[in-house]
Amino acid sequence: MNETEWDEAAGRVWDVVVVGGGVAGLSAALTLARVRRSVLVIDAGEPRNAPASAAHGLLSRDGIAPLELLRLAREEVSSYGGRIVSGRVEGVRREGGRLVVGAGDGKRAIARRVLVTTGLVDELPGVPGLARRWGRDVLHCPYCHGWEVRDTAVGVLGTGPAAFHQTLLFRQLSSEVTLFLHTGGELAPEQWEQLAALGVGVVDGEVRGLDVDGADRLSGVRLASGRSVAVDALVVAPRFVARAGFLTELGLPVTEHPMGLGVRLVTDEAGFTGIEGVWAAGNVTDLLAGVPAAAASGTQAAAAINMDLIGADAKAAVTARADGAFSGAAEAETSRRVLGNSRHGLDSLLHPGPAAGR
């Protein structure tokens, strides 16, 4: 998006500015544009799932490339009059009854309402080589990638309580699953019993690196002892960190997730943050939401924002009517000028004109 288009976007008050152009933000923008709300989407161009080759679980679009999904979604939003600009939002502040969204280099947009859909950052365990393979053969979600690694050798990296649950989830997809205890701590007796009954291998010792074959595929996990254990995929549990630092001026901090998964924005069921005029949807508030759930939350938040605007518009219309052409004072003055003594009211009865006295 060039500077001229940014200048045009900054030259008006938008009903809604959506910060973040992933599936949650674009779903919201589509919903709002279709009910004739003016919508501006500001996107930094850093989708969380960009490393993945495909997005799964999205009805009628299963297996679509994430960037292709966003391209199609942008076209749909634009077809209804929604605008999308490139930029990294650095702050949101309140000026009077409006919200000012600043995107650096003097760029800004003025909004009646703001929807935050900036997603999250996956903070990966500190094992060399993990980040390079993230979204390919290093993964975390069975619903996103489990089918693709079915019946292969799957390793699970233990870094906390989530590892045991991930092991059970991926055991459903493969009979060859190995849990690497790594830094995850000791298992409870009943957990050992369940893993043994399911035929899950357990390997003690810290993981120090990954082995990759000549075709650039994960082939094994290297331990501190020097031993290498063959795997085709490695499951990890990232720490999820909401991208919300730009909201501090509004007094909207991130909060630790009750399950210890990371930090997020807290909202109600409709996405309202508790700060006037500000909603959030997608992974920035729901750390575990996949693509379908994130899209749905964007739609739900959009509907809530639209109802909030409808209420505000109706109140403004009442105020305008009371202060404008249809106020009581204006109506009385109009009657006096047009009807003279024939105007309605007690005055004409108490002081009848000549015709009334006949």
Side-chain angles (χ1 to χ4, degrees):
M1 187 64 64
N2 62 40
E3 294 297 323
T4 300
E5 290 172 310
W6 245 110
D7 290 342
E8 292 174 356
R12 61 186 292 185
V13 176
W14 297 87
D15 285 330
V16 186
V17 168
V18 179
V19 184
V23 292
L26 293 173
S27 293
L30 179 64
T31 301
L32 289 162
R34 279 180 49 81
V35 291
R36 309 189 76 175
R37 291 295 179 189
S38 60
V39 185
L40 176 69
V41 179
I42 304 175
D43 183 45
E46 296 175 349
R48 177 194 179 196
N49 60 356
S53 61
H56 292 288
L58 190 60
L59 196 63
S60 84
R61 290 292 183 271
D62 185 72
I64 190 172
L67 296 182
E68 175 65 7
L69 175 62
L70 296 182
R71 185 189 69 78
L72 293 171
R74 283 169 166 249
E75 288 183 356
E76 290 178 349
V77 171
S78 298
S79 73
Y80 288 100
R83 293 283 300 279
I84 303 169
V85 295
S86 298
R88 184 182 303 280
V89 171
E90 297 178 351
V92 180
R93 70 180 186 276
R94 195 178 303 280
E95 286 188 3
R98 299 288 184 257
L99 292 160
V100 179
V101 182
D105 298 326
K107 297 183 179 71
R108 55 181 247 160
I110 301 173
R112 299 174 65 194
R113 304 293 185 269
V114 168
L115 174 61
V116 179
T117 58
T118 42
L120 58 81
V121 174
D122 296 291
E123 293 187 348
L124 299 174
V127 174
L130 279 186
R132 182 173 176 272
R133 312 205 65 80
W134 177 240
R136 298 164 60 194
D137 39 29
V138 172
L139 38 98
H140 81 286
C141 175
Y143 305 105
C144 303
H145 306 290
W147 177 264
E148 284 64 41
V149 298
R150 70 194 186 282
D151 299 326
T152 66
V154 177
V156 179
L157 184 67
T159 55
F164 174 75
H165 300 287
Q166 286 179 309
T167 302
L168 297 184
L169 285 165
F170 278 87
R171 177 59 183 83
Q172 182 180 348
L173 295 156
S174 174
S175 60
E176 192 177 350
V177 176
T178 301
L179 171 60
F180 295 89
L181 292 180
H182 188 49
T183 60
E186 186 57 55
L187 297 171
E190 60 271 21
Q191 292 176 324
W192 279 106
E193 185 177 2
Q194 290 178 45
L195 295 178
L198 291 169
V200 173
V202 179
V203 176
D204 202 358
E206 290 194 21
V207 172
R208 292 293 175 83
L210 305 179
D211 294 326
V212 178
D213 66 19
D216 193 28
R217 294 176 302 200
L218 180 65
S219 60
V221 169
R222 279 184 284 108
L223 302 172
S225 64
R227 177 189 173 196
S228 181
V229 179
V231 297
D232 300 306
L234 183 64
V235 177
V236 302
R239 177 172 169 78
F240 305 126
V241 179
R243 293 169 168 161
F246 61 92
L247 295 170
T248 54
E249 192 170 344
L250 291 177
L252 192 56
V254 293
T255 302
E256 188 71 29
H257 191 278
M259 295 173 60
L261 301 175
V263 292
R264 59 172 182 157
L265 288 178
V266 176
T267 69
D268 66 13
E269 292 182 357
F272 181 55
T273 64
I275 299 296
E276 182 182 356
V278 183
W279 275 256
N283 285 140
V284 74
T285 181
D286 184 352
L287 301 180
L288 296 177
V291 171
S297 72
T299 300
Q300 183 171 345
I305 292 170
N306 188 51
M307 284 305 302
D308 186 58
L309 287 168
I310 285 173
D313 291 342
K315 290 179 181 178
V318 169
T319 300
R321 187 177 191 278
D323 295 340
F326 296 101
S327 66
E331 185 178 356
E333 178 62 15
T334 300
S335 296
R336 185 188 68 77
R337 293 183 180 185
V338 175
L339 301 177
N341 287 337
S342 298
R343 67 190 183 277
H344 65 77
L346 292 176
D347 189 55
S348 61
L349 296 175
L350 296 175
H351 306 284
R358 294 178 184 172

